Amino acid sequence: MLSSLIEVPLQLITEAHHHPSFEQMACNGMASSSSSSFPSNFLFQMQTPYEEDSHLVPPSNSFLSPNLQGMSPLLGKRCMSYDEMLNEDELSDDGSAVGEKKKRLNIEQVRTLERNFELGNKLEPERKVQLAKALGLRPRQVAIWFQNRRARWKTKQLEKDYDVLKRQFEAIRAENDSLLVQNKKLQAEILALRGRETPDLTINLNKETEGSCSNRSENSSEINLDISRKPVVENRLPPHPILPSLQSLNQPEIDQFLHHSCKPELQSPKVENDAPETCFGNLLCNMGDQSVFWPWPDHHSFH
DNA sequence: AAAGTCAATCGGTACA
DNA sequence: TGTACCGATTGACTTT
């Protein structure tokens, strides 16, 4: 299992450098060793022109991407090395560097973290430590990155859900509109028929059905057929179990409604996967189901 | 300079 | 009680 923790960074580094000996080394090293036992010449073999600056070369047994040491060639900014961050004299209580200003993670680090996040969004302690070592970060930083990443994912997911819900709503509204049109047509037909009806139609019909309906309740024979006397008052659809009376809403109200529909507390905070249909299904059908949240079926996909 | 991004912090909650 | 997580927020830094 441990080996797979390191796999992603190695793959990424390999992709970036296409170094045959490194690929071989990675495969061999992965099978049985953790990062600390990675070949000592690893960094030497992986050195880029940036690492030729001797004071930036990391310890020989550390398992770090070249870009994670010293200057980041991708951002042109200096990143703290793992050793720098392990210097206890310069660390505050939580392990962060005293007086250090915020530094963005470099592209290589972010890529690796992203890949790991795709494999599992929850960070097991072991994986955290391994990743931290591999990336030259403090475990705390890795944990924070995952935390923030989950928050970003959730925000995006909410946006997706909102879009799906909005489309669905618009479809329902269109259907409702067409039903209203149809309803009006039928009403017009009724009125037209009414003009041709004989005044005592109701009575005659009641008489004709009297015998066959004798065992019904008194009121049942009056079910209407008496359309001539009952005006159609309400032209609206019954309220939707979830959506409010659709036709009464204007656009801002619709937007507001949709906004509230996407409130975390109103919807399932867990979705089975990334598919919008599924998310929407959860929104509408599984309001109370909190069993699944992330798109990864198994949080421990490293095992 | 304003807006956007993101690492980090803070305060609260859940759980073993 | 300690730990991990979350949402909200801050502030450094980047992009427009």
Side-chain angles (χ1 to χ4, degrees):
Chain A
M1 185 195 73
L2 268 183
S3 63
S4 60
L5 297 177
I6 309 301
E7 197 159 33
V8 173
L10 281 176
Q11 281 172 348
L12 283 165
I13 294 164
T14 304
E15 280 168 22
H17 296 273
H18 298 290
H19 196 298
S21 61
F22 173 60
E23 273 187 51
Q24 172 104 36
M25 198 167 56
C27 294
N28 293 342
M30 303 295 307
S32 58
S33 67
S34 66
S35 60
S36 59
S37 59
F38 209 76
S40 61
N41 60 347
F42 164 70
L43 281 159
F44 174 75
Q45 292 191 34
M46 291 298 296
Q47 253 181 15
T48 68
Y50 292 95
E51 278 71 57
E52 286 166 9
D53 188 346
S54 62
H55 74 278
L56 295 175
V57 175
S60 62
N61 65 342
S62 72
F63 169 53
L64 305 177
S65 161
N67 293 342
L68 306 179
Q69 300 292 325
M71 293 293 289
S72 163
L74 297 164
L75 294 180
K77 296 185 65 183
R78 189 176 187 282
C79 295
M80 268 194 297
S81 72
Y82 190 52
D83 273 7
E84 278 178 301
M85 289 182 291
L86 287 180
N87 186 341
E88 303 241 341
D89 293 336
E90 295 173 6
L91 299 182
S92 63
D93 293 344
D94 65 347
S96 60
V98 173
E100 271 291 341
K101 291 194 173 181
K102 284 185 184 177
K103 286 192 173 61
R104 295 211 166 188
L105 307 183
N106 68 33
I107 289 175
E108 194 105 10
Q109 288 170 319
V110 171
R111 262 192 218 158
T112 301
L113 288 165
E114 284 287 354
R115 286 287 178 90
N116 266 269
F117 186 80
E118 284 169 18
L119 294 172
N121 71 313
K122 294 282 182 180
L123 196 56
E124 308 79 19
E126 205 175 10
R127 181 155 68 120
K128 177 166 64 182
V129 172
Q130 291 298 327
L131 261 175
K133 273 189 184 177
L135 295 174
L137 298 170
R138 277 170 280 122
R140 171 79 179 148
Q141 283 180 291
V142 176
I144 286 167
W145 187 91
F146 265 72
Q147 219 163 292
N148 288 325
R149 184 64 182 80
R150 281 193 293 269
R152 288 194 292 273
W153 182 89
K154 197 173 177 183
T155 304
K156 273 199 168 175
Q157 198 56 48
L158 281 175
E159 285 171 7
K160 280 184 186 175
D161 290 346
Y162 174 86
D163 287 341
V164 171
L165 190 57
K166 195 172 179 178
R167 278 199 298 274
Q168 196 86 7
F169 172 77
E170 275 157 8
I172 289 171
R173 189 168 59 174
E175 192 187 344
N176 186 42
D177 288 346
S178 78
L179 285 172
L180 285 175
V181 170
Q182 207 179 330
N183 196 7
K184 276 191 177 174
K185 274 186 183 176
L186 290 172
Q187 276 191 71
E189 274 183 46
I190 288 167
L191 287 175
L193 286 171
R194 186 182 162 192
R196 283 184 263 148
E197 280 167 6
T198 56
D200 56 349
L201 174 65
T202 304
I203 298 162
N204 292 339
L205 285 171
N206 281 342
K207 277 186 177 175
E208 281 172 16
T209 55
E210 207 169 15
S212 59
C213 298
S214 59
N215 58 346
R216 292 184 190 166
S217 71
E218 282 184 5
N219 292 335
S220 65
S221 62
E222 292 175 12
I223 320 173
N224 278 303
L225 296 186
D226 194 5
I227 48 180
S228 59
R229 283 187 294 179
K230 271 197 175 176
V232 178
V233 177
E234 192 50 63
N235 189 23
R236 295 191 169 184
L237 291 174
H240 190 278
I242 294 172
L243 304 177
S245 177
L246 305 181
Q247 63 203 32
S248 64
L249 297 181
N250 55 29
Q251 193 57 46
E253 286 171 328
I254 290 163
D255 288 340
Q256 193 184 3
F257 161 70
L258 288 169
H259 175 75
H260 287 305
S261 297
C262 287
K263 277 185 172 179
E265 65 266 26
L266 293 181
Q267 63 177 287
S268 166
K270 313 216 169 199
V271 289
E272 189 69 58
N273 58 41
D274 233 351
E277 291 75 14
T278 311
C279 300
F280 184 68
N282 278 338
L283 284 173
L284 294 183
C285 305
N286 300 327
M287 296 266 194
D289 179 11
Q290 306 197 350
S291 59
V292 199
F293 181 38
W294 300 100
W296 301 272
D298 179 6
H299 292 174
H300 304 283
S301 49
F302 291 88
H303 297 245

